[in-house]
């Protein structure tokens, strides 16, 4: 998945925060949105330090077990400091990350059972048909799903703006 993580995060973030109190809405929405793209910060390490030697889906940012542990720690901290909103914002961030991992699973694979195995689970292998691996994904039929997600997010965005203008 290349271009649809943020639009998918926008769609899900809107759905998850529609019925949240206005003073808590922004924090949770932006946490979810940030989480939906955060795992790909490992691309900096992938290119600058690792020089592409290991698939970036094997880094900690793409390992579900890490985020489950992080959510448990954040929830515990939220309980200890008696701040429910802190825990809910952390859960929104991790929710965005899991959306990212779910979207990466079908065509790029995620190690869902790590540390038991480092096998990546995926539905379809995108063959290397181009000299640069990115083009292999962009010209594969699966990229149509990303375009559909982007269109759906744009439609949702403009509908919400029109609704806000009518209510103002």
């Amino acid at each position: 998945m290349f271009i649809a993580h943020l639009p998918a995060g926008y769609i899900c973030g809107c759905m998850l925060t529609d019925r949240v109190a206005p003073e808590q809405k922004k924090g949770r929405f932006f946490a979810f949105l940030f989480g939906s793209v955060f795992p790909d910060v490992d691309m900096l390490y992938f290119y600058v330090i690792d020089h592409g030697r290991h698939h970036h889906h094997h880094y900690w940012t793409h390992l579900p077990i890490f985020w489950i542990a992080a959510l448990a720690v954040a929830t515990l901290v939220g309980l200890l400091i008696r701040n429910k909103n802190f825990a809910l914002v952390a859960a929104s961030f991790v929710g965005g990350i899991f959306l990212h991992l779910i979207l990466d699973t079908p065509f790029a694979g995620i190690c869902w059972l790590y540390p038991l195995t480092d096998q990546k689970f995926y539905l379809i292998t995108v063959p290397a048909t181009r000299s640069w691996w990115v083009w292999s994904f962009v010209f594969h039929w699966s990229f149509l799903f990303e375009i559909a997600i982007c269109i759906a997010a744009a439609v949702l965005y403009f509908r919400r703006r029109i609704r806000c203008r009518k209510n103002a």
Side-chain angles (χ1 to χ4, degrees):
M1 181 111 350
F2 288 100
I3 62 172
H5 285 302
L6 192 62
Y10 176 77
I11 293 168
C12 291
C14 287
M15 291 187 323
L16 293 172
T17 59
D18 269 349
R19 291 188 169 84
V20 172
E23 65 274 3
Q24 298 173 345
K25 184 178 255 184
K26 275 189 179 177
R28 293 186 201 169
F29 175 77
F30 286 113
F32 193 91
L33 208 57
F34 185 57
S36 72
V37 295
F38 183 80
D40 282 339
V41 300
D42 63 13
M43 293 301 284
L44 294 170
Y45 181 86
F46 178 75
Y47 282 113
V48 176
I49 297 169
D50 193 35
H51 302 291
R53 287 186 292 244
H54 303 94
H55 194 287
H56 77 109
H57 284 194
H58 287 286
Y59 299 153
W60 65 269
T61 56
H62 279 85
L63 295 177
I65 189 70
F66 176 83
W67 296 110
I68 291 169
L71 180 59
V73 168
T75 302
L76 185 61
V77 168
L79 289 171
L80 290 173
I81 64 173
R82 295 185 180 174
N83 187 336
K84 180 181 175 184
N85 195 49
F86 174 84
L88 291 171
V89 168
S92 296
F93 176 72
V94 174
I97 287 173
F98 271 88
L99 173 67
H100 182 106
L101 299 178
I102 289 166
L103 290 172
D104 274 353
T105 298
F107 307 109
I110 294 295
C111 301
W112 286 100
L113 297 179
Y114 184 86
L116 301 175
T117 177
D118 62 353
Q119 175 189 354
K120 288 191 305 181
F121 291 88
Y122 52 89
L123 297 175
I124 296 164
T125 302
V126 177
T129 57
R130 309 279 191 230
S131 59
W132 188 36
W133 65 272
V134 172
W135 291 128
S136 296
F137 278 90
V138 170
F139 289 111
H140 191 262
W141 62 266
S142 62
F143 196 70
L144 294 173
F145 288 111
E146 295 197 51
I147 293 170
I149 291 170
C150 292
I151 291 170
V155 167
L156 177 63
Y157 174 77
F158 287 113
R159 281 188 178 172
R160 290 171 70 90
R161 286 192 50 115
I162 291 169
R163 192 179 324 133
C164 285
R165 285 184 186 159
K166 285 182 181 177
N167 292 337

